Amino acid sequence: MSGDVAERERCPGRDPAGLFRAGHVVKVCAPMVRYSKLAFRTLVRRYGCELCYTPMVVAADFVRSAKARDSEFTTNRGDNPLIVQFAAKEAQVLCDAALLVCPFADGVDLNCGCPQRWAMAEGYGACLINKPELVRDMVRHVRNRIDNPRFSVSIKIRIHEDLKKTVDLCKKAEATGVSWITVHGRNIEERHQPVHYDAIKVIKESMHIPVVANGDIKTLKDAENVHRLTGADGVMVARGLLANPAMFAGYEETPLKCIQDWVDIALEHGTPFTCFHHHLMYMMERITSKQEKKVFNILSSTSAVLDYLGHHYGVCS
């Protein structure tokens, strides 16, 4: 584990569940492989994001390898509230991983929604929605071992074709003490089909704990609409934030100030070039012409990107 973790450990943890209150919709940055890392979390927090997730981390690797811990988990004092998302299939392994991050994070989330073949083949991700007893066991183990009552334990799921099974899973998780549930409104087979917001509404109406809606939220207006359709207590956004990290602040497209902030933050954090460049490609998608993209997207060094941004947009380094 790297970053300013010693300072973070001394800083008293916030209760992320306390963000959920009547009349307020919590704005959440989704776990995104390669992308929802410390530098990007720092950026979206400046623009109205209230709760951030790390990229999904395989708990078994994290527990076994110090190298994995250093590469997969970086935080600092300002990086809160922070949820570490784990892929796990054994209660003890998830518990061990949670104990490792507990001093430096505000909660853990069990991934029960990743539909990728490798994850399903390993027994991780979305296949867990068909193993409610195992999910309950994993949540219970973490709850029993973590002394801090403010430390959250949540799950992120996809829905079943038979929604009764999803409601049953959620009720079992709730009974075990899960803090909230994030629902991606598609089933395991669906990718780009319309999100079933009606299903999220049914789940929300069946629960006494907060429910976060996820899927195809690309603007603040979308977020407000999904809240209206589902009654969800929060909205989790992935690609919408990649394209516009300032969306929760009400911007329709990435403002130049946000691009400048990303440059400053990325340089300060020593963000690797590929990650630095890819984020800019996403952020500038809506504000650049096809010809500009052809030039910008093939730039191959930080200095070339900085020269381009300075010349075309007045962004300073």
Side-chain angles (χ1 to χ4, degrees):
M1 291 176 278
S2 56
D4 198 358
V5 289
E7 270 197 65
R8 176 69 201 270
E9 188 173 12
R10 290 198 300 270
C11 190
R14 290 175 57 182
D15 177 5
L19 293 170
F20 298 98
R21 57 190 187 274
H24 178 69
V25 183
V26 180
K27 302 173 184 73
V28 186
C29 176
M32 291 178 276
V33 174
R34 295 186 300 278
Y35 293 121
S36 61
K37 295 196 171 184
L38 176 60
F40 187 70
R41 298 194 300 265
T42 303
L43 178 66
V44 296
R45 291 186 196 279
R46 290 189 184 180
Y47 289 91
C49 187
E50 299 168 273
L51 181 63
C52 291
Y53 281 55
T54 67
M56 182 182 77
V57 177
V58 176
D61 295 341
F62 192 81
V63 169
R64 185 169 53 240
S65 165
K67 186 177 179 182
R69 291 194 288 277
D70 285 341
S71 65
E72 296 291 340
F73 181 58
T74 305
T75 188
N76 63 20
R77 193 167 187 171
D79 187 29
N80 67 82
L82 176 66
I83 306 301
V84 182
Q85 190 188 65
F86 285 113
K89 58 184 177 182
E90 297 170 75
Q92 188 59 54
V93 174
L94 178 62
C95 198
D96 290 345
L99 286 166
L100 284 169
V101 300
C102 182
F104 315 109
D106 303 288
V108 293
D109 183 83
L110 175 62
N111 185 311
C112 304
C114 179
Q116 293 184 37
R117 285 181 184 174
W118 75 265
M120 303 269 285
E122 291 286 339
Y124 300 138
C127 68
L128 290 175
I129 65 172
N130 295 314
K131 300 176 180 178
E133 308 301 333
L134 176 57
V135 171
R136 186 167 64 178
D137 192 38
M138 287 196 275
V139 171
R140 182 186 291 124
H141 262 72
V142 177
R143 271 273 169 255
N144 289 344
R145 288 291 305 280
I146 302 286
D147 291 333
N148 181 359
R150 295 178 299 182
F151 191 79
S152 67
V153 183
S154 56
I155 62 173
K156 183 172 186 286
I157 66 170
R158 282 190 170 232
I159 60 173
H160 300 80
E161 288 201 28
D162 178 359
L163 198 56
K164 289 178 184 175
K165 290 183 178 180
T166 315
V167 171
D168 178 64
L169 166 70
C170 292
K171 285 186 171 179
K172 283 177 176 169
E174 179 180 34
T176 315
V178 81
S179 306
W180 67 83
I181 296 173
T182 301
V183 183
H184 181 88
R186 293 185 176 98
N187 66 42
I188 292 173
E189 302 302 325
E190 292 175 321
R191 295 296 183 271
H192 304 293
Q193 291 89 337
V195 176
H196 302 287
Y197 295 121
D198 54 336
I200 300 177
K201 183 174 189 280
V202 169
I203 294 164
K204 168 59 190 167
E205 290 174 348
S206 305
M207 308 302 293
H208 297 100
I209 57 171
V211 170
V212 176
N214 173 234
D216 281 4
I217 301 168
K218 293 173 183 170
T219 66
L220 186 59
K221 197 169 182 179
D222 286 346
E224 291 163 352
N225 190 42
V226 167
H227 168 65
R228 183 179 59 79
L229 288 171
T230 65
D233 305 278
V235 289
M236 176 183 280
V237 180
R239 284 174 296 184
L241 278 173
L242 284 180
N244 178 10
M247 67 160 275
F248 282 142
Y251 291 92
E252 292 293 316
E253 58 189 29
T254 310
L256 282 180
K257 174 70 168 65
C258 183
I259 293 172
Q260 178 69 69
D261 285 344
W262 171 244
V263 168
D264 294 342
I265 291 166
L267 292 179
E268 180 186 344
H269 284 262
T271 302
F273 170 72
T274 300
C275 181
F276 170 62
H277 190 208
H278 280 189
H279 273 294
L280 286 167
M281 284 160 50
Y282 278 116
M283 288 180 207
M284 297 170 66
E285 175 72 24
R286 297 178 196 168
I287 61 174
T288 52
S289 67
K290 197 171 182 179
Q291 189 56 43
E292 285 176 310
K293 288 182 183 67
K294 280 184 179 178
V295 175
F296 184 79
N297 292 0
I298 62 167
L299 296 176
S300 58
S301 70
T302 298
S303 59
V305 167
L306 295 176
D307 286 347
Y308 184 95
L309 293 175
H311 181 70
H312 289 82
Y313 296 99
V315 172
C316 305
S317 58

